Amino acid sequence: MQRAVLRLCSPDRGLLTPGRRFLQGFRSSGKESVFHVHEVRDKLREIVGVSTDWREHMKAMDERKLLHTFLAGSQKELPPRRMKDSYIEVLLPLGSQPELREKYLTVQNTVRFGRILEDLDSLGVLICYKHNKIQSAKMSPLSIVTALVDKIDMCKKSLSPEQDIKFSGHVSWTGKTSMEVKMQMFQLLDGEFSRVLEATFVMVARDSENKGPAFVNPVIPENLEEEELFKQGELNRGRRIAFSSTSLLKVAPNAEERTAIHNMFLSTLDSKTMSFRSRILPPNAVWMEDSKLKGLEICHPQERNIFNRIFGGFLMRKAYELGWATACNFGGSRPFVVAVDDIMFQKPVEVGSLLFLSSQVCFTQRNYIQVRVHSEVATLENKRHTTTNVFHFTFMSEEQVPLVFPKTYGESMLYLDGQRHFNSMSVPVTLRKAYLVEP
């Protein structure tokens, strides 16, 4: 299992300090190079050569088979690219074009985070296509898809729907067939764009039919700051491998975790009967099985991506919104997201599939609620369910929430997994306090 983290970052110190100065160094000043957010997906269709019309789209996908001749036989055949070669800026003019607000607006007059996830996903793909652009080919022979969201660092609790937003990003690291993309989001404040979000996505390249891996252009750092970004990409890759090797799906809990689960079990035994089968809840506690919410989505063609699969941003938005509803229902107040883990795309979702979402609280501490959302699909012809994603969301409630207790061994593993994700969150204590009182 690979790990992705969304954390609050300090207003005066981001985790990607070299990258932030680097981006400011070549931020575009020309209006012609700034896309409107609604142009991103149109540009992607143009690059891949597909249409918004369902029938023409299917025909175009068949024609992409002819692009195999443009694929490189090895990475050495591809020219290296600079980080600035893939740099893009995208504008979301919520302030200057009020007609756009309704799509992004919450009832609390903030910006819907699920919509931001969708925009980041599309932008990350476009950045990678720009990095791998072939001048001699009208359409790209690559099928670039999102592999995982490695981390998103929030610098502000909520965003105003009445001020313009700008996204920017570039490729910061490459393997042979994968790319790491750094993205930032800014919002207009007192006449200047202030940083409110930093994100790291990992994309993979596949052949023109999206059936096998394809090589990508290597990225070459040009200065010390770019070298630091590239080294961070290598470290991120190693961290994901290390996290996967200790997954509870592969190895047993450690001694400390086993003791904690046993103590929780003992605290639920009825002292009057002294029986292992007689279980009672401690004060201010809820059984894990009673914290579930479920959802179902029919995957219509409207939600397809440029490769005729369901758009990854749509899946992230639906999982996030169900997770938020679960935390809201459990805590009894409006929660705020502070961390997101494991946005890893294990299986593609086909158009026409039934998408089943199951969400439950798996760990709580003080006013924090750890929510796990499991997504799986089934087709109308084949009713067998296949897991596509597992999401872990950490929310903060305005009030202290009940403890959640597992009953079975399986639920105990969910509890420990949730606890691990919660403990991986890196939020300064001062920010945790400020987070609660920020208007």
Side-chain angles (χ1 to χ4, degrees):
M1 182 181 295
Q2 294 181 327
R3 185 167 65 94
V5 180
L6 181 154
R7 298 170 295 196
L8 285 171
C9 61
S10 170
D12 57 352
R13 180 182 61 83
L15 299 180
L16 307 174
T17 304
R20 186 168 68 253
R21 294 199 302 267
F22 163 71
L23 283 179
Q24 291 173 343
F26 62 83
R27 186 174 298 147
S28 173
S29 59
K31 293 183 179 180
E32 69 281 359
S33 59
V34 180
F35 287 101
H36 188 291
V37 70
H38 75 254
E39 296 178 303
V40 172
R41 296 184 77 173
D42 292 338
K43 186 65 176 177
L44 287 173
R45 294 187 185 97
E46 177 185 330
I47 292 171
V48 178
V50 296
S51 170
T52 55
D53 183 87
W54 175 248
R55 294 182 180 179
E56 291 184 10
H57 182 98
M58 300 296 290
K59 180 181 178 181
M61 294 304 294
D62 289 334
E63 293 175 351
R64 282 186 56 80
K65 298 177 182 179
L66 303 176
L67 297 175
H68 269 279
T69 56
F70 289 97
L71 292 172
S74 69
Q75 193 177 42
K76 294 180 180 180
E77 299 177 16
L78 298 171
R81 298 283 164 79
R82 302 171 298 176
M83 292 187 185
K84 65 177 64 176
D85 291 335
S86 61
Y87 180 76
I88 295 177
E89 289 185 357
V90 172
L91 183 65
L92 174 56
L94 295 179
S96 53
Q97 297 183 23
E99 63 273 14
L100 296 176
R101 291 179 193 167
E102 186 169 344
K103 177 181 177 182
Y104 288 84
L105 191 66
T106 72
V107 70
Q108 291 83 19
N109 199 41
T110 59
V111 175
R112 293 172 62 182
F113 183 71
R115 292 295 189 192
I116 299 301
L117 288 176
E118 290 183 321
D119 291 339
L120 287 172
D121 189 50
S122 295
L123 177 60
V125 175
L126 182 59
I127 289 169
C128 290
Y129 272 117
K130 187 175 182 183
H131 173 81
N132 293 280
K133 185 177 181 180
I134 300 177
Q135 299 295 338
S136 59
K138 182 179 179 181
M139 297 185 299
S140 175
L142 297 178
S143 300
I144 296 176
V145 296
T146 306
L148 66 104
V149 180
D150 186 72
K151 60 182 177 180
I152 301 177
D153 299 305
M154 294 294 296
C155 310
K156 192 175 181 181
K157 183 187 70 173
S158 60
L159 304 172
S160 170
E162 299 176 358
Q163 300 294 331
D164 286 357
I165 287 175
K166 183 169 66 176
F167 301 90
S168 66
H170 65 98
V171 171
S172 58
W173 173 88
T174 55
K176 290 186 176 181
T177 63
S178 60
M179 296 157 283
E180 183 180 272
V181 179
K182 300 289 187 188
M183 291 177 283
Q184 294 184 322
M185 185 170 75
F186 307 84
Q187 184 155 51
L188 197 61
L189 180 64
D190 297 329
E192 294 184 0
F193 279 102
S194 301
R195 180 179 56 90
V196 295
L197 177 151
E198 293 178 340
T200 304
F201 280 45
V202 177
M203 308 289 181
V204 295
R206 299 176 65 79
D207 61 29
S208 55
E209 297 181 73
N210 198 12
K211 292 183 177 179
F215 294 104
V216 300
N217 294 72
V219 65
I220 302 298
E222 292 187 298
N223 52 51
L224 290 177
E225 290 179 301
E226 294 182 19
E227 288 177 1
E228 287 298 318
L229 283 177
F230 192 87
K231 289 179 182 178
Q232 186 61 50
E234 292 284 356
L235 292 174
N236 290 340
R237 178 177 178 272
R239 170 179 52 79
R240 291 190 293 266
I241 294 174
F243 190 83
S244 176
S245 66
T246 59
S247 168
L248 289 168
L249 293 172
K250 298 179 180 179
V251 297
N254 59 41
E256 183 179 354
E257 291 173 330
R258 293 196 299 268
T259 300
I261 289 297
H262 188 67
N263 289 338
M264 290 184 71
F265 172 75
L266 293 178
S267 69
T268 64
L269 294 181
D270 189 346
S271 59
K272 296 179 181 180
T273 63
M274 293 305 293
S275 169
F276 287 129
R277 294 184 178 182
S278 181
R279 307 281 298 277
I280 57 174
L281 272 173
N284 192 34
V286 176
W287 291 121
M288 186 183 293
E289 64 183 16
D290 295 328
S291 67
K292 296 181 180 179
L293 287 181
K294 293 187 177 182
L296 170 66
E297 296 290 334
I298 302 174
C299 298
H300 295 291
Q302 180 186 10
E303 305 299 342
R304 73 185 187 277
N305 61 17
I306 54 177
F307 301 113
N308 211 33
R309 303 280 177 76
I310 295 301
F311 175 42
F314 170 79
L315 302 176
M316 288 192 283
R317 176 167 62 88
K318 288 299 180 180
Y320 167 77
E321 290 175 349
L322 181 63
W324 184 91
T326 303
C328 183
N329 185 61
F330 183 87
S333 63
R334 176 176 176 262
F336 301 99
V337 63
V338 295
V340 178
D341 283 305
D342 287 339
I343 303 184
M344 181 180 178
F345 296 86
Q346 301 177 17
K347 299 273 186 186
V349 178
E350 303 290 344
V351 173
S353 299
L354 299 178
L355 177 68
F356 295 88
L357 296 168
S358 178
S359 176
Q360 70 181 112
V361 176
C362 56
F363 177 81
T364 59
Q365 182 172 302
R366 300 189 303 278
N367 58 326
Y368 289 95
I369 307 171
Q370 191 73 33
V371 178
R372 180 183 188 270
V373 181
H374 178 264
S375 69
E376 55 187 14
V377 296
T379 62
L380 296 177
E381 297 79 13
N382 183 357
K383 296 183 179 181
R384 184 177 61 185
H385 289 207
T386 303
T387 297
T388 60
N389 297 86
V390 177
F391 304 81
H392 294 270
F393 301 101
T394 307
F395 293 96
M396 179 182 286
S397 180
E398 295 176 349
E399 304 292 339
Q400 185 164 327
V401 299
L403 298 174
V404 65
F405 271 72
K407 267 188 178 181
T408 66
Y409 185 81
E411 288 181 346
S412 297
M413 295 304 99
L414 291 179
Y415 179 91
L416 292 178
D417 192 46
Q419 185 180 54
R420 288 183 178 185
H421 285 93
F422 177 79
N423 290 336
S424 72
M425 183 176 58
S426 178
V427 183
V429 174
T430 55
L431 270 180
R432 290 184 179 182
K433 293 178 180 178
Y435 191 81
L436 284 173
V437 299
E438 181 181 348

